Amino acid sequence: MSSSTYDVCALGNAIVDIVADVPETFLQQQHLVKGTASLVDRARITNLRKLIAKPRMMRAGGAASNTVAGIASFGGKPAYMGKVAYDESGKLFSDDMAKLGVRYPTEPVTDQNISTGMCLSFVTTGANRTMCTYLGASVDFGPGDIDSTVLKQSQIIYLEGYMLDKPNTREALQAAANNARAAGCKVGLALCDVSCVERNRETFLALIGATADIIFANEKELLALYKTFHLDAAIQHVKEHVKTAVVTRSEKGAIILDDKRLLNVSAEAVKVVDKTGAGDAFAAGYLYGLSKKLDASVCARLGVIAAGEIISHYGTRPEQSLATLAKQKGAL
Ligand SMILES: Nc1ncnc2c1ncn2[C@@H]1O[C@H](COP(=O)(O)OP(=O)(O)OP(=O)(O)O)[C@@H](O)[C@H]1O
Ligand SMILES: [Mg+2]
């Protein structure tokens, strides 16, 4: 499928990330527990947002959108589908995708009672982050929002597991997986988070057994999927069901199961500043390599290089060209 228009088309919860520096007293006044991540409603996010006079950063976020940003930085051609609302944040999300060169065909929700999903990240001393997320319009993405032309023009479809949490997005994810399969695209699935795996274990297992060609997980997520304490046992299970499994292991790097072959890749030696987005960046490198038909060992190397770049500074987007960095390191 080398004639595909897009290397990777990702589907995910479209969220705008806003990072703000606040004093500890702010957290107390707002009854926020330092270091936690919570889901909040529209009224709460609106109130909290109003209290941020000057955000440190505002941009398109969400796991899969971070991954497409990484793919773009490698010089790949990504597409993204996910729902925002017709409001200021939705415009910011859409503009950000355009700036990155990501094809983003999804129409916004026009209901005025729904706003664009938002993640407020409050940074206090010691780089501590306290996060509040409102899923907003993102959970309204349904099967009807899938742009089947863009889907069919993509070599690989990458599905964000968080979409299994809500009925519309769950249906959309399953439909996209089936349509992609029928169109001959490769299907990648990210497990995203241990609690997401706990909530959706059966659906994940069904997708992995039937439609997914490649899964992305960190070690804890894979163990949770098969309810085991042993990585070897989890790898044995996954071997039965899926061709490729990409399992990241923080400072230990990653293990790749590719066609029954087991590969180990070491992590980059970097000073960790902010680990947020490490897994999403790894997926970007791996998917870019896969779209260029590179060997699994090279894909994995691109994964650790991308992840190493992301964790060496604040924020989930690369601060230098990942293509240039990978060339400097001899991986491309
Ligand atoms: N301390 C570290 N030192 C070097 N590399 C790291 C470190 N932590 C993470 N990485 C890199 O990031 C990749 C992904 O990390 P990890 O396995 O922690 O994923 P994750 O749990 O999905 O991350 P997150 O959810 O925080 O984005 C690793 O495979 C490795 O390449
Ligand atoms: Mg992760």
Side-chain angles (χ1 to χ4, degrees):
M1 288 199 58
S2 55
S3 60
S4 299
T5 311
Y6 305 106
D7 294 324
V8 179
C9 174
L11 271 76
N13 287 339
I15 307 279
V16 166
D17 278 339
I18 301 186
V19 179
D21 297 289
V22 296
E24 302 263 341
T25 48
F26 175 91
L27 300 182
Q28 285 139 23
Q29 281 156 9
Q30 295 306 317
H31 310 289
L32 292 168
V33 182
K34 190 161 112 181
T36 58
S38 51
L39 278 180
V40 300
D41 64 16
R42 190 185 190 214
R44 174 86 161 132
I45 205 90
T46 308
N47 285 333
L48 288 168
R49 173 68 189 90
K50 279 186 194 147
L51 299 172
I52 306 171
K54 227 172 160 269
R56 186 207 289 192
M57 197 251 345
M58 268 206 295
R59 67 163 65 115
S65 118
N66 290 334
T67 298
V68 294
I71 293 168
S73 182
F74 273 108
K77 287 176 293 170
Y80 178 82
M81 298 181 203
K83 205 88 168 160
V84 294
Y86 187 72
D87 57 17
E88 211 178 302
S89 299
K91 172 93 168 64
L92 184 147
F93 191 98
S94 176
D95 288 349
D96 209 19
M97 288 286 121
K99 238 184 283 165
L100 290 166
V102 178
R103 172 92 164 95
Y104 176 46
T106 316
E107 287 297 332
V109 173
T110 49
D111 180 344
Q112 290 193 348
N113 296 312
I114 302 168
S115 36
T116 296
M118 194 180 278
C119 173
L120 300 180
S121 214
F122 298 108
V123 183
T124 42
T125 47
N128 241 300
R129 279 172 182 243
T130 307
M131 308 212 282
C132 294
T133 304
Y134 160 68
L135 290 170
S138 72
V139 301
D140 277 13
F141 187 94
D145 289 305
I146 298 168
D147 185 317
S148 51
T149 309
V150 171
L151 195 88
K152 283 183 198 144
Q153 289 171 339
S154 305
Q155 198 188 145
I156 307 165
I157 305 301
Y158 178 67
L159 305 166
E160 182 185 296
Y162 283 127
M163 291 179 82
L164 293 180
D165 276 336
K166 300 284 178 209
N168 278 332
T169 48
R170 167 190 290 249
E171 244 187 87
L173 184 148
Q174 289 170 324
N178 291 331
N179 298 351
R181 194 72 328 185
C185 318
K186 271 207 172 75
V187 179
L189 175 68
L191 303 196
C192 288
D193 176 61
V194 168
S195 50
C196 181
V197 172
E198 302 282 359
R199 290 190 293 267
N200 303 291
R201 186 179 286 107
E202 296 313 315
T203 319
F204 271 124
L205 288 171
L207 280 163
I208 292 165
T211 21
D213 298 293
I214 166 164
I215 63 162
F216 293 84
N218 67 22
E219 188 173 345
K220 284 188 192 140
E221 291 152 10
L222 194 74
L223 296 179
L225 182 69
Y226 293 109
K227 293 191 181 174
T228 173
F229 301 122
H230 307 286
L231 186 58
D232 289 352
I235 297 278
Q236 282 310 319
H237 282 299
V238 80
K239 238 183 204 173
E240 312 275 312
H241 301 121
V242 73
K243 186 169 166 276
T244 308
V246 175
V247 186
T248 60
R249 308 179 71 205
S250 298
E251 73 287 349
K252 293 194 208 115
I255 292 183
I256 317 294
L257 170 76
D258 183 57
D259 256 343
K260 318 260 178 222
R261 173 170 71 132
L262 214 50
L263 303 168
N264 267 288
V265 57
S266 307
E268 292 286 279
V270 292
K271 188 174 171 291
V272 183
V273 175
D274 172 16
K275 242 209 81 196
T276 321
D280 304 335
F282 191 105
Y286 198 93
L287 289 165
Y288 174 75
L290 194 65
S291 75
K292 298 298 163 210
K293 313 270 190 294
L294 302 176
D295 185 73
S297 59
V298 182
C299 297
R301 184 81 189 104
L302 297 177
V304 292
I305 290 171
E309 199 282 340
I310 294 296
I311 63 178
S312 63
H313 57 75
Y314 285 105
T316 54
R317 293 290 178 78
E319 288 188 349
Q320 55 180 314
S321 153
L322 293 177
T324 308
L325 184 65
K327 278 179 200 142
Q328 281 166 359
K329 289 179 178 276
L332 276 179

